Amino acid sequence: MNMKQWPEADRPREKLLARGATALSDSELLAVFLGNGLAGLDAVGLARELLGEFGSLKQLFAASRQKFCSCRGLGLARYVRTQAVLELCRRCLYENLQRETVFTEPGLVKNYLQYSIGMEQREVFMLLYLDSQHRLIKAEPLFYGTIDASPVYPRIVVQSALAHNAAAVILAHNHPSGVAEPSRADRAITERLSQAMALVDIKLLDHFVVGDAEVISFAERGWL
């Protein structure tokens, strides 16, 4: 049955207008985003097929350009639209961070980090530079690759924090494996960075580790 023949209350667009976006399932929301399906397959059917192939919304939106565009029903135009939507979400969350005292709003930080580095397929190490009132100066990815105990990290982090005239910083990195639990290396480098920044009177407020389903805060665990 064509989706136009569905009862109005069951059509994703009408359902969203009547009950809000939260009332829609993942496949229904994706169907609204897609706009239309393929010959013999409506938008909801295509959305379900795509979620089955990629495994989740996150994996779909985090897919490489090549993988995304090669999938039936997607292509370059929808890839461009997807990237634009993700960037709009990042910028909206970034604006919210700029309006708040960041250290008192860990939920805002977690949401921003999930959109900014949570979908990366490689490990990204990010710094949030804060002023003396713990307001955001800038959020900046600093390293790409695997975090280890290399002596270069404290020196570069301290230099960057000083260059931004930061009074405090928040560290963050993602685990592409999807498991947010901090490793021994994560804890070791955090301790070294905390000590290095203390020498120049910069406070390390927190270190967030971003996984698929959660973001873990060192401060909330009592490690800082």
Side-chain angles (χ1 to χ4, degrees):
M1 182 186 296
N2 187 290
M3 201 155 56
K4 292 180 180 179
Q5 298 175 292
W6 291 14
E8 187 170 314
D10 293 337
R11 299 176 203 163
R13 291 179 182 177
E14 285 74 10
K15 187 175 178 180
L16 186 151
L17 291 171
R19 298 169 55 190
T22 58
L24 274 64
S25 66
D26 288 353
S27 58
E28 289 172 329
L29 283 171
L30 184 56
V32 172
F33 172 78
L34 293 170
N36 52 65
L38 302 170
L41 186 66
D42 61 40
V44 172
L46 176 58
R48 289 171 180 161
E49 183 177 287
L50 292 170
L51 290 176
E53 181 167 345
F54 284 91
S56 68
L57 282 172
K58 178 179 178 180
Q59 293 303 313
L60 170 60
F61 289 127
S64 68
R65 173 177 169 179
Q66 181 179 6
K67 182 176 180 180
F68 187 100
C69 293
S70 65
C71 194
R72 186 172 86 110
L74 294 178
L76 186 59
R78 281 173 170 166
Y79 176 79
V80 170
R81 191 188 310 164
T82 297
Q83 296 307 306
V85 169
L86 292 174
E87 184 58 27
L88 284 170
C89 290
R90 292 186 192 104
R91 295 187 187 190
C92 180
L93 291 168
Y94 189 79
E95 287 180 7
N96 288 338
L97 280 183
Q98 290 180 308
R99 296 190 189 103
E100 302 291 340
T101 302
V102 171
F103 189 53
T104 62
E105 295 290 344
L108 286 177
V109 180
K110 290 179 179 181
N111 287 339
Y112 171 72
L113 292 173
Q114 284 184 314
Y115 273 92
S116 59
I117 62 175
M119 294 187 183
E120 288 279 352
Q121 297 300 304
R122 57 180 172 172
E123 197 164 282
V124 180
F125 185 89
M126 172 176 275
L127 261 70
L128 279 69
Y129 308 102
L130 311 176
D131 66 15
S132 59
Q133 302 299 312
H134 296 168
R135 294 170 300 197
L136 184 65
I137 298 171
K138 184 179 180 180
E140 178 182 46
L142 203 57
F143 304 115
Y144 295 88
T146 300
I147 294 175
D148 55 28
S150 171
V152 71
Y153 285 102
R155 174 171 56 84
I156 294 176
V157 170
V158 169
Q159 287 176 345
S160 187
L162 289 171
H164 287 86
N165 197 30
V169 298
I170 292 174
L171 311 176
H173 77 279
N174 64 313
H175 282 176
S177 67
V179 179
E181 188 63 32
S183 66
R184 290 183 180 179
D186 295 336
R187 296 190 64 176
I189 195 62
T190 303
E191 180 62 26
R192 294 184 62 205
L193 287 170
S194 180
Q195 293 172 358
M197 286 188 289
L199 295 175
V200 292
D201 199 27
I202 297 175
K203 178 70 173 177
L204 175 55
L205 297 181
D206 207 341
H207 186 170
F208 292 95
V209 183
V210 183
D212 277 348
E214 63 179 334
V215 180
I216 291 177
S217 159
F218 276 46
E220 290 176 350
R221 291 218 173 161
W223 294 346
L224 282 172

